[in-house]
Amino acid sequence: MLRNLKLLPLILLLLGCSGASKNNAESMASRQLDFDAFGEYWYQGKAELNSYTLEQYRYGEKREGEAVLIFVTEDFSREKQVKLDKPQANEQDAQKVLKLNLTKKFVTGIYPYSMMLSVFTPVYDAVPAVKVTASSQEWCGHTFTQMNRQGGKYNAQLRSYFEKESDQQLTMDAMPEDNLWTLLRLDPKQIPTGDIRLIPALLDQRMMHEKLEEEDASIQIVAAPDSMGSFAAKDLQVLEVKYKDYPRELRIFYTSAFPYEIAGWEEVRTIRNGEKETSRATRKAKLITDYWTKNSNTDEILRQNLKLD
């Protein structure tokens, strides 16, 4: 157990998660975390892999697919906002982040969609995600969005195959909806509730070709009304996001106890005549592993453990 908070930076170094600089250590109190439990779970030198059965609406029809959530802590450059190769060489530039990689894959008729979201949220500094990226690929073309937090705001770059969107540079001053996934895993109590300005989910914005801008929304955390996969309703809570004008709702089902595992989610899209399409994901399997070392043909059996096609 990590019983001595003052020793945490040294312990992280011994675990191979170096980069907790003096500034990091001094800012630990800025996030209200249970460092004993957090360190034991998130500083194993491994990632948490989660696979989901995906029901994704596209072009007015429900598609069957797969989604994967990958959560892992890593050392991140404050200046360059990229993963540090040698954090020990510049500890003042290093900060711990909880990274999410979310992937969705599904087929529409003859052609496939492949989508990916990445979120990088500081573990110790009480600030929103420092970087969010999203990409979407399908046979018509692909799009890419990147948001970097600089000077308290987000500088966004949007690159798209489609003429209506083309290349854009934007500045926005609101929390990204995508940041809620990582904040939830750090500690749901840190999520702001009530009325709030949000930048809607980048993958939704990309798929629906909505204008990228801040929107009025509300956030609440409630008890789960129903079970989700193998999780009983009594063990779950729901993070709900509703927008005032943007036609989207998000519900993330997660365990009420640490490490706040994500059992599944629902994305509700309001379409013509007030009708709603509900895309949902339900967890199939979970695996804790250093997946970046599992890259030989013999490691493909691990995909069976995750119930991936």
Side-chain angles (χ1 to χ4, degrees), residues 26 50 52 62 69 71 99 107 121 126 196 199 204 207 226 240 247 252 281 287 305:
E26 290 174 348
N50 303 273
Y52 298 82
K62 184 171 67 176
L69 295 186
F71 289 96
K99 177 178 72 174
V107 173
T121 300
I196 189 173
I199 302 170
D204 181 81
M207 187 159 59
D226 303 302
E240 294 186 344
I252 303 176
L287 182 65
N305 296 347

Side-chain angles (χ1 to χ4, degrees), residues 22-202:
K22 180 180 179 182
N23 289 339
N24 290 90
E26 290 174 348
S27 66
M28 286 179 186
S30 61
R31 285 214 189 275
Q32 302 299 314
L33 303 178
D34 181 343
F35 288 102
D36 286 352
F38 188 91
E40 287 186 349
Y41 190 81
W42 289 112
Y43 294 138
Q44 302 178 61
K46 299 179 180 180
E48 179 196 272
L49 312 181
N50 303 273
S51 62
Y52 298 82
T53 298
L54 179 66
E55 299 175 359
Q56 180 70 53
Y57 268 89
R58 187 67 175 129
Y59 304 122
E61 295 182 283
K62 184 171 67 176
R63 321 293 177 150
E64 304 296 329
E66 289 182 328
V68 176
L69 295 186
I70 303 168
F71 289 96
V72 65
T73 55
E74 64 185 25
D75 291 290
F76 209 64
S77 169
R78 296 177 184 274
E79 179 182 359
K80 299 178 181 179
Q81 295 186 342
V82 295
K83 183 181 183 298
L84 280 172
D85 295 327
K86 298 179 180 179
Q88 300 92 333
N90 189 355
E91 292 189 359
Q92 293 301 314
D93 186 42
Q95 64 177 329
K96 280 282 181 285
V97 298
L98 179 63
K99 177 178 72 174
L100 162 66
N101 282 338
L102 182 159
T103 66
K104 293 182 178 181
K105 292 188 176 182
F106 55 95
V107 173
T108 57
I110 191 174
Y111 64 94
Y113 269 77
S114 178
M115 311 183 79
M116 183 170 180
L117 169 75
S118 295
V119 184
F120 305 84
T121 300
V123 172
Y124 302 128
D125 298 337
V127 296
V130 293
K131 185 176 182 178
V132 183
T133 65
S135 61
S136 177
Q137 302 85 38
E138 39 95 1
W139 285 5
C140 291
H142 63 172
T143 65
F144 178 77
T145 306
Q146 177 168 310
M147 301 196 307
N148 294 83
R149 185 171 174 81
Q150 297 164 330
K153 297 182 180 181
Y154 285 98
N155 294 325
Q157 302 177 59
L158 191 157
R159 304 289 182 260
S160 177
Y161 157 83
F162 300 97
E163 180 185 9
K164 180 181 178 181
E165 299 158 355
S166 189
D167 294 349
Q168 299 179 44
Q169 305 254 136
L170 306 167
T171 299
M172 291 173 287
D173 187 11
M175 176 184 287
E177 177 195 311
D178 296 321
N179 190 195
L180 297 175
W181 297 84
T182 43
L183 281 181
L184 187 157
R185 297 308 306 272
L186 289 169
D187 185 354
K189 297 185 183 66
Q190 298 183 39
I191 293 175
T193 55
D195 295 336
I196 189 173
R197 294 280 284 176
L198 288 178
I199 302 170
L202 292 186

